[in-house]
Amino acid sequence: MDFILRFVLVDVPEAFLLLTIGLAMFNRSIFEHKKKALLFAVLLSVCGELLALYEVSYQPKVLTMFLCMTLIFYFLYQPGLLRAVFMSTASLGSMILAEFILLIIYNSQQIYWLDILSTNMLMAVVRLLYLGLLLICAVILRQMKFDIRRLFPRNRYNRYLFLLILVGSIEFLLILFMNTSFFLRENNSTLAQLYTPQFQMLFQILILVLFILIVFLFRVYLTLTIHRVEEETGTPYLKSIHDMLTAIRSIKHDSLNHYTAINGFLKKGLYDLAKEYVEQLLQEILITEKTVDSSSHVLGGIKNPAVSSLLQSKMALCLAERIPLTMNVTTGNQFAHIKTYDLIKILGNLLDNAIRATSYELEENRYIRLDWGQSERELFLIIENSGPCIPEDKLNEVFSIGYTTKTNGQGGLGLSIVKSVTERYGGKVTVCSENGITRFHVSFANRSDRD
């Protein structure tokens, strides 16, 4: 009679809860396949009772239960071997954690395992508390709609982080496993005989091996992270250097044309025309110097060196393309809440887009203006340029992937990247294009924690 009561009231509910926890790791419910859930509970309960009948000690019993549970998961639910192992690990891990919590609670009250076994009332309370802890874990996972697949890494860096967390979790469970066994051994003479120094050494060696593996994984992950940071921070500088070199080659080409023209005037004795040509060049140089001095003064207030480098390269590119670029930075915040790599994406794409659009305009009408400031309500970045307008019916499409105004059809990603990055940080980007002027407006809520 006791066997039947224990089987029905303890073993089967425990198996149901362990199944619920295992399936919940992949956001699955036991009610999807009720017959399979019942069969799982019966098979696992039978396995547990057989191990108890033969008085298998705690550690071999848990390992055997793990193998049995994995096999039942694999053949009954057919999730694949890796998922079956993962679900079994989650189920057994919750079981060990619940047992450890109960042992800590009871030992803190000077109530030991032998005392619990000698009293039916205490045994019933312990079983109820144990099932209650498993129920709480299962309910939390189901309410959260937890799905471990969302945490699966999609890139190389996160794979090592995932392995690091996984190995660390296994080592933590092994330590809990040993501590639970230790508490049980202190109050169980049969288990004390089986808990030999050799058996303990085996687990300690396993824990040591896992610790060495954790150190190795941490070292690899740290190295990869450093390389990633170097790449992400280096990319803006490389792009800026490329733009600077492009500007230098363009200026060199223009200079060569000017020297050739002056040389031609001099050879033909057209000294007045040569003089007039040189005076025009000097006038343009003086205007350019004023613009550069003004922009250089503004760049001195840019706090982020990568952003400053980017703006300098774009300024040189505008100079080579004969596009007046004026910058007005009136805030010290400068989107400090955005990572440098993402901020470069916003600025770089918007300025590249403006330079390309302005280059279609006549030289006397070309200009680009950058305003970076804040108001009581928002932090804003405005980039305005002259050039062909975007048709009104196309304004809603400019941020879509694939939309481009290039004649060769290439591109179509820059503005979609700007929109994606801006919205990821809780901001918004809008565009206005009319009367030969196109204006992009990036804004974020002006919160005190960003000042």
Side-chain angles (χ1 to χ4, degrees):
M1 187 65 180
D2 290 341
F3 166 77
I4 296 175
L5 288 175
R6 184 174 68 249
F7 186 84
V8 174
L9 299 178
V10 179
D11 294 339
V12 173
E14 177 191 26
F16 267 115
L17 290 171
L18 293 177
L19 172 62
T20 302
I21 292 170
L23 292 175
M25 300 307 293
F26 293 93
N27 195 23
R28 297 180 62 182
S29 170
I30 60 172
F31 300 111
E32 293 176 3
H33 304 284
K34 297 178 183 178
K35 292 182 179 179
K36 288 183 179 181
L38 181 60
L39 182 58
F40 179 96
V42 172
L43 290 175
L44 190 63
S45 300
V46 169
C47 292
E49 285 298 331
L50 286 175
L51 292 173
L53 180 64
Y54 288 100
E55 297 183 349
V56 179
S57 58
Y58 184 76
Q59 286 93 346
K61 179 180 178 181
V62 172
L63 293 176
T64 306
M65 289 289 289
F66 174 76
L67 292 174
C68 291
M69 188 180 295
T70 302
L71 290 173
I72 298 172
F73 266 126
Y74 181 75
F75 288 106
L76 201 59
Y77 284 89
Q78 298 181 344
L81 183 59
L82 183 61
R83 289 190 184 181
V85 170
F86 195 90
M87 288 190 285
S88 300
T89 302
S91 300
L92 266 296
S94 62
M95 184 188 77
I96 294 170
L97 185 60
E99 290 176 348
F100 184 74
I101 292 172
L102 287 177
L103 286 170
I104 291 293
I105 293 173
Y106 273 89
N107 277 274
S108 66
Q109 301 300 317
Q110 302 299 315
I111 302 174
Y112 299 101
W113 186 244
L114 289 176
D115 300 327
I116 295 172
L117 291 176
S118 62
T119 308
N120 290 333
M121 180 61 71
L122 279 177
M123 199 67 187
V125 172
V126 166
R127 286 169 174 167
L128 284 174
L129 288 175
Y130 169 70
L131 294 176
L133 289 173
L134 291 181
L135 178 62
I136 291 172
C137 181
V139 169
I140 290 174
L141 289 173
R142 291 302 300 148
Q143 288 295 320
M144 291 174 57
K145 295 184 178 180
F146 183 82
D147 193 337
I148 192 67
R149 287 171 293 188
R150 297 172 188 166
L151 305 179
F152 283 166
R154 296 183 179 181
N155 58 55
R156 184 183 176 193
Y157 311 105
N158 290 339
R159 284 193 204 106
Y160 281 99
L161 178 60
F162 179 77
L163 287 174
L164 189 61
I165 295 173
L166 180 62
V167 174
S169 301
I170 294 173
E171 179 163 22
F172 175 71
L173 288 175
L174 283 176
I175 294 171
L176 278 183
F177 187 58
M178 285 193 64
N179 289 337
T180 304
S181 304
F182 176 79
F183 282 117
L184 291 173
R185 182 197 66 176
E186 291 293 311
N187 300 280
N188 191 318
S189 58
T190 303
L191 187 58
Q193 294 175 0
L194 295 170
Y195 197 82
T196 61
Q198 292 82 2
F199 193 83
Q200 185 179 10
M201 183 177 293
L202 178 64
F203 270 86
Q204 288 175 345
I205 290 174
L206 182 58
I207 290 172
L208 179 61
V209 169
L210 288 176
F211 176 76
I212 294 172
L213 182 58
I214 288 173
V215 172
F216 171 76
L217 288 173
F218 179 76
R219 183 177 180 276
V220 173
Y221 175 72
L222 186 62
T223 302
L224 289 174
T225 302
I226 292 172
H227 288 166
R228 181 178 63 177
V229 171
E230 289 176 347
E231 289 175 1
E232 290 184 352
T233 54
T235 299
Y237 290 103
L238 291 175
K239 182 68 167 61
S240 298
I241 291 171
H242 174 74
D243 288 342
M244 292 283 278
L245 291 175
T246 301
I248 290 170
R249 283 195 294 268
S250 178
I251 293 171
K252 178 182 177 182
H253 183 267
D254 285 347
S255 299
L256 184 60
N257 289 334
H258 293 317
Y259 294 146
T260 302
I262 295 171
N263 185 53
F265 287 141
L266 294 176
K267 281 184 177 181
K268 293 181 178 181
L270 302 174
Y271 302 112
D272 291 337
L273 289 177
K275 179 182 177 182
E276 183 181 347
Y277 192 84
V278 170
E279 287 176 349
Q280 289 179 354
L281 286 178
L282 289 174
Q283 188 176 1
E284 286 185 10
I285 291 172
L286 289 174
I287 295 173
T288 302
E289 283 186 350
K290 289 181 180 179
T291 304
V292 170
D293 290 341
S294 175
S295 299
S296 299
H297 177 72
V298 172
L299 290 176
I302 300 295
K303 296 180 179 180
N304 192 317
V307 172
S308 178
S309 173
L310 173 75
L311 293 178
Q312 284 179 340
S313 66
K314 300 305 178 187
M315 185 173 67
L317 200 57
C318 286
L319 183 63
E321 294 288 335
R322 297 179 178 275
I323 301 173
L325 170 63
T326 57
M327 293 185 288
N328 183 30
V329 180
T330 58
T331 177
N333 183 291
Q334 298 163 15
F335 297 170
H337 62 290
I338 300 180
K339 293 180 180 178
T340 297
Y341 190 60
D342 288 328
L343 184 54
I344 291 297
K345 289 180 182 178
I346 295 175
L347 278 168
N349 281 303
L350 287 177
L351 285 172
D352 285 342
N353 193 69
I355 292 171
R356 184 175 61 252
T358 307
S359 63
Y360 295 120
E361 186 70 280
L362 296 174
E363 281 192 21
E364 57 268 21
N365 297 328
R366 293 179 182 180
Y367 84 91
I368 296 176
R369 182 171 61 85
L370 182 150
D371 286 329
W372 203 348
Q374 67 181 82
S375 64
E376 293 182 358
R377 294 182 302 173
E378 65 177 12
L379 305 173
F380 62 84
L381 170 68
I382 297 173
I383 295 181
E384 181 182 287
N385 63 271
S386 59
C389 286
I390 302 171
E392 187 175 353
D393 59 335
K394 299 292 185 181
L395 284 176
N396 294 328
E397 300 179 20
V398 295
F399 298 109
S400 302
I401 295 177
Y403 179 85
T404 180
T405 57
K406 292 182 180 179
T407 55
N408 58 9
Q410 295 180 353
L413 292 175
L415 292 178
S416 66
I417 291 172
V418 171
K419 181 179 176 64
S420 174
V421 173
T422 302
E423 292 181 347
R424 191 194 315 155
Y425 286 92
K428 64 179 181 179
V429 54
T430 57
V431 58
C432 174
S433 186
E434 57 185 5
N435 301 324
I437 297 173
T438 300
R439 183 184 302 107
F440 285 89
H441 185 281
V442 179
S443 62
F444 298 89
N446 188 8
R447 299 171 185 170
S448 58
D449 54 41
R450 291 179 181 169
D451 293 334

